Amino acid sequence: MNAHATAMGAPPGLDHCPLMPTYGAPTVQFVRGEGCRLWDRDGTRYLDFLAGLAVVGLGHAHPEVADAIAEQARTLVHVSNLFGTVPGGEVAITLDRLLGGGGQVFFSNSGAEANECAIKLARKFGGHGRHEVISAYGSFHGRTLAALAATGQPAKWEAFQPLPDGFRHVPWNDLDALEAAIGPSVAAVLLEPVQGEGGVNPATAHYFEGVRRLCDERGLLFMVDEVQTGLGRTGEWFGFQHFGVEPDVVTLAKALGNGMPIGACWARRDVAAAFEPGDHATTYGGQPLAAAAALAVLGVMERDHAPSLAEHAGSHLRHALQALPQVAEVRGLGLLLAAELVPGIDARRVAADALAAGLVVNAVTPSALRLAPPLVVTPDEIDEGVAVLADLLADAARRTEAGQP
């Protein structure tokens, strides 16, 4: 138990937390993290292969990020976005450089808010009568209403009708279907390089190249959602860089703060110019504390070349998973992978059993596990995690053969 918890008395148990039931009932309360490791309130140690949904790219409690947060907390935490701050300005400069330059940045608190900014920007840039955004089935762009409407998973928005209009969905990686959906009211196309929440399904280079061409021909914005894939996770700084295209708008969040809430919407300068003062705003987005964390994250990632970390660790993890007889397919890029399990094995049960065995993963579909460890995961830690999975999958296969649940 940490010092704070001891001073304040024992923390409340899971049965006494008045939390809305928007998530499944939690079974573990984590109290500490270090690198790829987590500890629960009972002192049990876990190996984290989820990184807080691909957020903690540099691992838990990274010392340089922690020092930056502590120093900023003692210096300046908030002034509103009516004023500039040094860390916010430096993060914007760094992101613009990593994205090729020539753009401008709006800071938000999350990836959903970054996508909200992109959608509003597309509508303003498109002008009267051009407001529709095309996205793909299987996509995930956030839980706010417009981001939810852009999300191509009907199960996530059926209960919240009516959604804002102006959104169309087309089959993933189907260029002909996208072209057929483009009408005079379409302002932009919004796609992920890898559909993370949709099952870790990468785009093809042919698809992204074709989308770029169509957007150029029809005068549309090509907006890329890098919320989960950005900042090294796929083996490139940004997922779209695998496909040799340059988008007009890029949204990101998750890894940017390594756990501190910060998102960003980057746009080409001429596109960003569609916004005027008062068109869009946020109270907390990019405030100094979060920006200081992001600046430290970017500094460490550039120094340690985060894309190479993900590429090497991802290759090791991919090969280890492919050797498991119960894994039918491994898909994804870099260190954002899915293990598609052979028919009959329930990925959700495997994920629950893994947690009980000290390994944190999640089931991104009923038949697929998502694996997104911190980029700093070591080969020994990968071998350790895959060994846990190997035992669990062997047990699951035996149950399946025996006709047991």
Side-chain angles (χ1 to χ4, degrees):
M1 187 178 299
N2 63 34
H4 176 74
T6 302
M8 298 296 292
L14 293 172
D15 294 338
H16 299 89
C17 294
L19 300 172
M20 286 192 182
T22 53
Y23 296 92
T27 57
V28 176
Q29 281 182 315
F30 290 119
V31 298
R32 185 167 72 86
E34 181 179 340
C36 296
R37 303 287 180 177
L38 289 165
W39 285 262
D40 68 14
R41 57 184 293 167
D42 298 322
T44 303
R45 192 175 76 158
Y46 296 78
L47 181 58
D48 187 3
F49 270 27
L50 192 56
L53 295 173
V55 167
V56 192
L58 296 179
H60 298 281
H62 190 283
E64 292 173 69
V65 179
D67 286 347
I69 293 171
E71 178 61 25
Q72 191 62 47
R74 288 190 290 266
T75 306
L76 183 68
V77 171
H78 181 76
V79 291
S80 90
N81 283 302
L82 297 175
F83 310 97
T85 69
V86 172
E90 292 185 358
V91 172
I93 291 170
T94 304
L95 287 179
D96 185 49
R97 174 169 52 79
L98 291 175
L99 283 160
Q104 292 180 310
V105 175
F106 175 87
F107 287 118
S108 60
N109 300 289
S110 67
E113 291 178 55
N115 284 327
E116 291 278 342
C117 175
I119 292 165
K120 286 181 66 176
L121 183 58
R123 290 189 171 198
K124 188 81 186 296
F125 185 81
H128 184 71
R130 295 188 69 192
H131 65 285
E132 289 190 317
V133 173
I134 298 176
S135 56
Y137 284 114
S139 63
F140 183 82
H141 300 292
R143 302 278 185 174
T144 56
L145 275 180
L148 190 63
T151 291
Q153 299 185 53
K156 296 192 184 308
W157 42 252
E158 282 176 345
F160 303 102
Q161 304 288 341
L163 294 175
D165 64 10
F167 295 90
R168 297 187 185 191
H169 301 101
V170 294
W172 179 232
N173 272 335
D174 187 335
L175 196 58
D176 292 338
L178 174 62
E179 183 171 12
I182 296 174
S185 60
V186 174
V189 177
L190 174 61
L191 300 172
E192 300 159 283
V194 180
Q195 291 188 334
E197 298 294 325
V200 191
N201 299 304
T204 66
H206 170 74
Y207 186 56
F208 259 47
E209 290 166 359
V211 174
R212 177 70 274 179
R213 175 180 53 77
L214 286 173
C215 287
D216 290 340
E217 292 174 355
R218 309 294 180 90
L220 313 180
L221 294 182
F222 187 8
M223 308 197 299
V224 177
D225 180 340
E226 295 272 1
V227 169
Q228 187 163 157
T229 52
L231 299 176
R233 170 62 63 181
T234 68
E236 296 281 359
W237 279 109
F238 299 96
F240 69 81
Q241 293 172 334
H242 288 278
F243 311 127
V245 302
E246 293 185 4
D248 305 304
V249 178
V250 177
T251 59
L252 63 155
K254 291 187 181 294
L256 182 55
N258 208 55
M260 287 293 288
I262 182 170
C265 175
W266 173 94
R268 277 186 2 230
R269 184 173 290 268
D270 63 305
V271 176
F275 273 164
E276 299 174 347
D279 278 345
H280 197 53
T282 174
T283 297
Y284 296 110
Q287 48 97 289
L289 194 63
L295 190 60
V297 167
L298 293 170
V300 173
M301 282 189 165
E302 286 205 275
R303 183 195 65 200
D304 296 346
H305 200 54
S308 291
L309 294 178
E311 181 183 6
H312 294 148
S315 177
H316 187 140
L317 179 56
R318 178 186 291 272
H319 285 109
L321 292 170
Q322 287 173 333
L324 301 180
Q326 298 82 18
V327 173
E329 177 192 16
V330 180
R331 57 177 179 265
L333 295 172
L335 209 48
L336 178 58
L337 299 176
E340 183 71 34
L341 306 181
V342 297
I345 296 182
D346 181 350
R348 293 192 171 100
R349 175 164 179 178
V350 173
D353 290 346
L355 185 63
L359 176 67
V360 182
V361 296
N362 85 319
V364 73
T365 74
S367 60
L369 296 170
R370 174 172 47 183
L371 300 106
L375 308 188
V376 296
V377 66
T378 66
D380 287 346
E381 288 170 332
I382 290 174
D383 293 342
E384 178 185 339
V386 173
V388 172
L389 282 179
D391 290 342
L392 294 174
L393 292 174
D395 289 342
R398 284 192 286 271
R399 288 197 304 270
T400 300
E401 291 173 1
Q404 299 172 350

